């Protein structure tokens, strides 16, 4: 059994990436994993100010928001799953704000973790996700995390379109087969 944190980045509670997150979580729970879901668009997460308060306060951020609770959770998490819609060839602003706030706890969360990326895109062209994937891979390299897989749901502008594809089942299988 692993401790997982699923971080979503969409403001749409019933959108494409919400479906991918739901299916992934269902698969992970079916095999006994402990899952925390953090929906960035519905949490109080302020942007990093680069004020360096955290550097002199053992990773505590000057902001007193829900990111402080997530930061504590991430220390014990073994796998972090980023679920985001493609917004102008990158992650949504909501999920990016959370990633920027990793700065306060980089030393505590770096190393020996795995990460996954689940993304849905209106655009079906292969090149559309290159920027997002480069950012994700750079983040993993910086934090010394291992990539545990990616799901690219390209050409899925709405939940109804996504539901007609194999992507939801693939997300479920990714969650279910984490230890294989």
């Amino acid at each position: 059994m692993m401790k997982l944190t699923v971080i979503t980045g969409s403001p749409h509670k019933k959108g494409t990436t919400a479906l991918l997150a739901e299916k992934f979580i269902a698969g992970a729970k079916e095999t006994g994993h402990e899952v925390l879901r953090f929906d960035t668009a519905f949490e109080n997460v302020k942007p990093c100010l680069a004020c360096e308060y955290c550097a002199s306060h053992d990773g505590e951020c000057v902001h007193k928001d829900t990111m402080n609770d997530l930061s504590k959770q991430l220390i014990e998490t073994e796998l972090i799953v980023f679920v985001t819609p493609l917004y102008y060839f990158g992650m949504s602003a909501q999920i990016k704000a959370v990633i920027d706030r990793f700065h306060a706890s980089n030393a505590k969360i770096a190393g020996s973790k795995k990460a996954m990326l689940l993304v849905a895109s209106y655009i079906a062209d292969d090149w559309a996700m290159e920027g997002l994937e480069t950012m994700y891979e750079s983040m993993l390299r910086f934090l010394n995390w291992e990539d545990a897989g990616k799901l690219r749901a390209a050409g899925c502008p709405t939940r109804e379109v996504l539901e007609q594809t194999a992507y939801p089942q693939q997300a479920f299988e990714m969650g279910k087969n984490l230890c294989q």
Side-chain angles (χ1 to χ4, degrees):
M1 180 173 94
M2 276 197 286
K3 285 188 172 189
L4 316 175
T5 300
V6 175
I7 302 174
T8 69
S10 176
H12 300 282
K13 290 184 179 184
K14 297 290 183 187
T16 54
T17 56
L19 178 59
L20 294 177
E22 291 161 13
K23 294 296 186 177
F24 178 88
I25 291 168
K29 286 185 174 181
E30 183 175 294
T31 52
H33 298 292
E34 181 182 330
V35 182
L36 169 75
R37 180 174 174 163
F38 189 85
D39 294 307
T40 62
F42 307 104
E43 295 290 344
N44 178 23
V45 177
K46 295 178 178 69
C48 179
L49 300 173
C51 66
E52 297 305 324
Y53 178 90
C54 58
S56 60
H57 290 85
D58 192 34
E60 180 185 339
C61 184
V62 68
H63 292 306
K64 306 301 181 226
D65 58 11
T66 56
M67 187 63 199
N68 290 320
D69 294 332
L70 178 62
S71 292
K72 291 174 189 165
Q73 170 74 23
L74 291 177
I75 293 168
E76 297 186 18
T77 291
E78 298 166 75
L79 173 70
I80 301 168
V81 183
F82 299 94
V83 187
T84 183
L86 184 70
Y87 278 20
Y88 268 84
F89 315 103
M91 293 183 177
S92 71
Q94 294 88 344
I95 205 166
K96 182 66 169 74
V98 166
I99 292 168
D100 288 348
R101 291 283 299 281
F102 286 1
H103 175 70
S105 56
N106 279 344
K108 294 179 181 180
I109 64 172
S112 70
K113 293 191 187 305
K114 295 181 180 181
M116 298 178 98
L117 176 66
L118 282 66
V119 59
S121 170
Y122 185 100
I123 300 171
D125 297 323
D126 290 339
W127 61 264
M129 294 190 200
E130 289 174 2
L132 183 145
E133 289 190 50
T134 298
M135 186 255 181
Y136 168 76
E137 290 164 4
S138 297
M139 177 180 60
L140 297 188
R141 185 175 182 183
F142 176 74
L143 291 168
N144 195 29
W145 291 353
E146 178 185 336
D147 176 36
K150 298 180 191 100
L151 176 63
R152 300 167 199 87
C156 295
T158 65
R159 185 179 178 117
E160 294 75 23
V161 171
L162 180 66
E163 288 171 339
Q164 302 303 314
T165 71
Y167 296 127
Q169 184 62 33
Q170 290 171 4
F172 178 83
E173 294 298 327
M174 287 176 80
K176 185 176 177 181
N177 298 318
L178 288 172
C179 292
Q180 295 179 358

